Amino acid sequence: MGISLLLPVAVATLRKRWLGFIGSFVALTLGVALIAASGLLVSTSAGLQNNDPSAPSLKKLLTFMAGMSGFVSVFVVASTFAFAVAGRRRETALLRAVGATPRQVRLLVLGEAVVVSLAASVCGALLGLGVAPLFARWLVSRGAAPEGFTVDMSPGPLLIAAAVEVAVAVVGAYAAARRAGRVRPVEALGDAAVDGRVMTLGRWLWAVGYLVVFAAVLALFTTMPPGMDQDPQLRDPQNMPVWSLLIDVMAIMAVALFAPLLVPPLVRLLTLPVPLASGAVGLLARQNALASVRRTVSTATPMFLVIGLTGTVVGSTLTFGDARTLQSRAALSAQYVVEPDGGAPALAPATVERLRALPGVRTTTVRGALLTGLDGGAATGAAASGTIAATAVDGDAAATWNLPTEAGSLERLQGSSVAVSSSLATANGWQVGDSLNTTLDDGTPVALSVVALVKTPLSLAEVLLPYSVVAGHLAGNPQPTAAFLATPEGAAAPVLDGTTGAKVTAAAAWGGDDDPRSRSDWIAMIAILGPALLYALIAIVNTMMMSTGDRLRDFSTLRLTGGNDRQVLSMVGVEALLTAATATALALLVTTGTQAATLMLIEHRVLDSGSSLPLTLPWPAIGAAAAAGLGLALVSSLLPARLALRARALDLASARQ
């Protein structure tokens, strides 16, 4: 059979399975748009800094957003194209039966995938051009990007996004077409109803590989062997939430790849009461899920990503917030903390003056600052390069914090001096008495003498210096972001009569959701998770509609054997419910594992020995994600099924007339 004879088959397939082609087109279009928009933002953010020095680096934030978006879109696109090809095994079997060779089948499928992916990549690139400026404005409005941050339109990110997604689509389609074209015609026809081996050798290798990488990266970041502590990005505890997210993604990938192995026993477990129930609807749904494992896995994957990503990212953010709160309270000697209220970014000058005038109270204020490099010169031969966040202290640091001190004393933090974290000093070979050269925010060079090596909590930067060093050199002359009050023992809480825009919190109750760093964490979490989550939610609708559209023959067969519309729709609804329950079970499995890994990182790298946090799951977030996934799955499966049954009934009525 010549390849030209297969073209009418391709046209007929397009007419019959148009819903599957549209589903693949939508998945790839949105995937290209997501990666293109993220790439444009990353390329524009080079060299830009946030308004708030304590907030996450803008480029780091956008890079991880791009990575998360790319991870989800690549996974969904590959799964969608593979599912679209796997759903055509009957047609593949017929082609093989009439003389088509495996090579011709592969060429036909690959040709269709290339046409669809090229058209979708163009649409996705244009959509990405419109999405990127909207997200840039959102970042500016939340203070995560500086005023005036706009997107520079360049073809590079668009071409990369299109090339990546087209390659993923073709590879996914090729893998499925290779499996379908490799069997003999009789085997293909016999294999059309029930899935055989779905855990291929390649899938085994990738799944085990991700599991090994997950364990290895977790072990490396937990133990920090010699060499890793030389890299500030790897060593800095402030970056632990970011690396924890990377570890979480490895775990999610491993579980998703092991899904064909995990889904059948989960389905059997979840449907144990079905054989005892009356009626055939539940039994049909159970057997359909077990017989078509590939379809079950493909429809459950986007929902698993929604629930799993929500559970892991929200859980990790909450856990690191709890660790910061626990650590910050333990490190605080001051009795009260005064912070801006009502959304104000800093304390008003009048508020600071009033605090300093309180009798018997020692007031210490802090501001964020940025330094360019910390060079030990010829004495140490080591330097911390790049932009370094610092905390400028105006007051008595020793009376404000009780920081574990390895050498020196915070009482000497006066004049041209600096206190650095023990881990930063160890990585660069600094000792008390060394002179470090740095450049302030306005370009002024200064030399600072190291007076203390301390263990800094997550609420402070790794570099502490007197405010007098940076006074007059900070961009915009920012006001203090917080004030710490050391009062005499047994003294009552200060009352700020007539002062607005500030709140007083006892040290024992400080932290939690009111911490400005907690707000930055949530903004970063939304920026990283939001686009990927929105894409995965759309993918739920997409794959469920594709799955329902491919089962019109099954619905007709069920009607011919005596089933009515209500029973068909009930079966479809139960299958959607079973898919959501399976995805939720897998998500709970991966969230529990990632939360345990996060706690291991925190207890080894953040908290002091003897301090610990309990293993908890973010049940409200998991429940909301599961409910959203179930609702979308029910609507996107029942609505097409209802329309298909109605169209079938109209066709039968017309035939009788």
Side-chain angles (χ1 to χ4, degrees):
M1 177 184 290
I3 191 66
S4 60
L5 298 179
L6 294 178
L7 294 179
V9 177
V11 174
T13 301
L14 177 61
R15 290 175 179 172
K16 181 180 178 182
R17 295 188 176 273
W18 60 271
L19 192 59
F21 283 98
I22 289 179
S24 301
F25 178 86
V26 170
L28 200 140
T29 297
L30 295 177
V32 171
L34 195 57
I35 296 179
S38 302
L40 289 170
L41 289 167
V42 171
S43 64
T44 306
S45 65
L48 294 179
Q49 296 294 337
N50 302 1
N51 296 330
D52 182 5
S54 66
S57 162
L58 177 61
K59 185 172 183 179
K60 186 189 301 181
L61 173 66
L62 293 175
T63 299
F64 271 84
M65 184 198 76
M68 180 65 74
S69 301
F71 154 69
V72 173
S73 62
V74 165
F75 204 88
V76 169
V77 166
S79 177
T80 301
F81 270 77
F83 173 56
V85 176
R88 297 172 51 191
R89 280 175 296 168
R90 285 191 176 96
E91 285 83 351
T92 302
L94 291 173
L95 287 174
R96 296 282 287 115
V98 298
T101 65
R103 178 177 175 274
Q104 290 172 330
V105 171
R106 289 195 297 270
L107 287 176
L108 176 65
V109 172
L110 287 177
E112 294 169 350
V114 168
V115 171
V116 172
S117 58
L118 287 177
S121 63
V122 173
C123 295
L126 295 176
L127 184 60
L129 289 173
V131 170
L134 297 177
F135 196 78
R137 286 198 288 270
W138 181 86
L139 290 171
V140 172
S141 67
R142 295 300 182 273
E147 293 292 338
F149 174 61
T150 56
V151 179
D152 294 335
M153 301 301 178
S154 59
L158 305 180
L159 295 175
I160 292 174
V164 168
E165 294 288 40
V166 169
V168 169
V170 171
V171 169
Y174 176 78
R178 190 164 175 261
R179 287 194 300 269
R182 196 165 44 213
V183 297
R184 295 191 302 271
V186 175
E187 292 175 342
L189 289 170
D191 193 47
V194 180
D195 286 337
R197 183 171 63 93
V198 291
M199 280 297 291
T200 61
L201 177 61
R203 193 167 188 129
W204 270 107
L205 293 175
W206 279 105
V208 173
Y210 274 110
L211 200 59
V212 170
V213 171
F214 164 75
V217 173
L218 177 60
L220 287 173
F221 276 97
T222 301
T223 59
M224 288 299 290
M228 283 187 65
D229 59 358
Q230 300 297 318
D231 188 332
Q233 297 298 327
L234 301 178
R235 176 198 49 74
D236 190 353
Q238 300 285 355
N239 292 331
M240 278 298 99
V242 173
W243 298 118
S244 176
L245 180 60
L246 175 64
I247 295 172
D248 293 347
V249 168
M250 296 297 106
I252 291 173
M253 285 293 294
V255 173
L257 289 169
F258 275 121
L261 198 66
L262 300 173
V263 163
L266 276 175
V267 170
R268 292 187 180 94
L269 179 63
L270 294 169
T271 56
L272 278 177
V274 168
L276 303 177
S278 59
V281 171
L283 187 60
L284 280 173
R286 177 180 188 269
Q287 294 307 118
N288 283 337
L290 292 173
S292 301
V293 177
R294 283 195 179 93
R295 184 179 69 222
T296 305
V297 171
S298 296
T299 52
T301 293
M303 205 175 308
F304 162 71
L305 290 176
V306 168
I307 305 171
L309 285 173
T310 300
T312 54
V313 176
V314 174
S316 177
T317 301
L318 290 173
T319 303
F320 272 101
D322 291 342
R324 180 172 53 244
T325 298
L326 181 63
Q327 187 191 48
S328 300
R329 290 175 181 173
L332 197 60
S333 295
Q335 285 71 39
Y336 298 97
V337 181
V338 181
E339 295 175 297
D341 197 11
L347 295 172
T351 302
V352 177
E353 291 179 8
R354 184 173 182 81
L355 292 174
R356 295 197 182 280
L358 292 173
V361 176
R362 284 178 291 181
T363 301
T364 300
T365 61
V366 294
R367 296 170 173 83
L370 294 174
L371 307 177
T372 303
L374 274 175
D375 188 357
T380 66
S385 59
T387 301
I388 301 169
T391 299
V393 181
D394 189 2
D396 190 344
T400 304
W401 296 283
N402 181 26
L403 304 182
T405 304
E406 181 178 304
S409 173
L410 279 179
E411 294 178 353
R412 298 170 55 194
L413 190 64
Q414 301 172 2
S416 298
S417 62
V418 65
V420 298
S421 71
S422 303
S423 60
L424 179 61
T426 301
N428 292 279
W430 299 335
Q431 297 178 355
V432 171
D434 288 344
S435 179
L436 305 181
N437 300 314
T438 188
T439 303
L440 302 181
D441 201 23
D442 63 350
T444 302
V446 294
L448 305 174
S449 175
V450 179
V451 296
L453 306 181
V454 297
K455 181 175 182 179
T456 55
L458 292 176
S459 57
L460 295 174
E462 285 197 294
V463 177
L464 309 177
L465 72 166
Y467 173 64
S468 59
V469 174
V470 298
H473 300 285
L474 297 177
N477 191 26
Q479 296 301 311
T481 55
F484 300 90
L485 309 181
T487 61
E489 185 176 354
V495 178
L496 303 180
D497 293 333
T499 302
T500 59
K503 60 181 178 180
V504 181
T505 307
W510 179 55
D513 295 337
D514 294 334
D515 187 351
R517 285 184 179 269
S518 178
R519 179 179 178 273
S520 297
D521 288 346
W522 282 104
I523 292 175
M525 186 202 72
I526 294 172
I528 293 172
L529 182 62
L533 205 60
L534 179 61
Y535 177 74
L537 286 170
I538 296 173
I540 292 175
V541 177
N542 198 35
T543 53
M544 293 300 293
M545 292 185 68
M546 289 175 62
S547 175
T548 304
D550 282 342
R551 301 185 59 201
L552 300 183
R553 182 180 298 178
D554 295 341
F555 298 160
S556 299
T557 302
L558 188 59
R559 290 289 305 277
L560 291 174
T561 56
N564 54 40
D565 288 357
R566 183 182 62 82
Q567 290 173 320
V568 172
L569 293 176
S570 297
M571 181 192 69
V572 172
V574 172
E575 287 182 5
L577 180 61
L578 186 56
T579 299
T582 304
T584 302
L586 290 174
L588 288 175
L589 173 66
V590 75
T591 302
T592 303
T594 55
Q595 281 294 91
T598 299
L599 285 176
M600 188 181 300
L601 276 177
I602 288 174
E603 291 177 1
H604 283 80
R605 298 288 309 281
V606 177
L607 297 179
D608 296 326
S609 58
S611 301
S612 62
L613 293 170
L615 175 61
T616 58
L617 300 184
W619 291 110
I622 292 175
L630 174 60
L632 290 174
L634 287 172
V635 171
S636 56
S637 58
L638 289 174
L639 184 59
R642 179 60 180 163
L643 294 176
L645 290 173
R646 180 176 296 179
R648 179 66 175 170
L650 292 175
D651 291 342
L652 290 175
S654 300
R656 286 170 184 163
Q657 293 176 357

